[in-house]
Amino acid sequence: LAKTTQPISMDSYEGQEVNITCSHNNIATNDYITWYQQFPSQGPRFIIQGYKTKVTNEVASLFIPADRKSSTLSLPRVSLSDTAVYYCLVGTGGFKTIFGAGTRLFVKA
Amino acid sequence: DAGVTQSPTHLIKTRGQQVTLRCSPKSGHDTVSWYQQALGQGPQFIFQYYEEEERQRGNFPDRFSGHQFPNYSSELNVNALLLGDSALYLCASSLEGTGGFEVWETQYFGPGTRLLVL
């Protein structure tokens, strides 16, 4: 099972770009990389998913190098409401997908 | 488009009791997964239901059981509650993929049920 490693916490200021990197050295060929956001006392919310190279949606970008052993979630121009826990997941769904402790992002004014 | 709903939102039980939590999946979804999230930790996978059967199970004892109904809604039952069962219980729904190489079913989570065992 692919295990992920993320920074425990990060601080940023409003308007800055935030990059959260996740390491997943033993990612399998069929594994996808998915990022979720979670606010206190709420369920995780899907942000973005990718398999290789770069994926962009209206919320974030996901950069995946060719070896796929890491990935970087990029949040452009964060606001106070982006303060949350961000989880990097690697897998194909179900029990094969493991949530780690996540990265606690704190955005300051 | 209704998202994933869970009931109740909060629940207080005492040790040894039994509890049933309920989940209605997002419209169009047929697969339901349950997670336990202790305070300050990431969600831990309990099990997944598809076509009314438990398809996958995480590292949880048999005290944790579930059911999926023909309308795809699901229940999580926990017997002989322990203090350590206090957590946020999350339900996530997805649409069963083809199982092929390029498919990963994105899971949509409900708001959770906060269970406190005294």
Side-chain angles (χ1 to χ4, degrees), chain B residues 33-100:
Chain B
S33 301
W34 286 91
Y35 292 80
Q36 180 194 67
Q37 184 173 26
L39 201 60
Q41 298 182 22
Q44 301 297 308
F45 177 79
I46 302 175
F47 43 53
Q48 183 180 79
Y49 276 84
Y50 172 68
E51 292 188 338
E52 302 181 46
E53 292 196 358
E54 182 182 299
R55 179 165 69 171
Q56 300 174 350
R57 190 177 184 94
N59 189 26
F60 279 80
D62 292 343
R63 296 188 297 110
F64 290 78
S65 63
H67 188 77
Q68 185 179 34
F69 299 93
N71 67 353
Y72 308 121
S73 66
S74 176
E75 288 182 350
L76 165 65
N77 300 294
V78 186
N79 294 322
L81 285 168
L82 304 174
L83 296 180
D85 294 332
S86 294
L88 179 68
Y89 287 85
L90 296 163
C91 168
S93 73
S94 56
L95 181 62
E96 167 67 3
T98 63

Side-chain angles (χ1 to χ4, degrees), chain A residues 6-60:
Chain A
Q6 307 174 232
I8 294 174
S9 64
M10 296 181 67
D11 288 344
S12 182
Y13 288 93
E14 283 190 292
Q16 289 188 330
E17 177 185 75
V18 171
N19 295 310
I20 306 175
T21 297
C22 178
S23 297
H24 28 79
N25 291 319
N26 58 341
I27 187 171
T29 302
N30 288 359
D31 286 344
Y32 277 72
I33 300 160
T34 309
W35 286 79
Y36 281 89
Q37 174 193 56
Q38 186 177 27
F39 298 112
S41 297
Q42 294 186 25
R45 182 177 75 102
F46 172 85
I47 300 176
I48 197 167
Q49 182 183 80
Y51 182 79
K52 60 182 179 181
T53 63
K54 177 184 175 182
V55 180
T56 298
N57 61 23
E58 64 279 4
V59 177

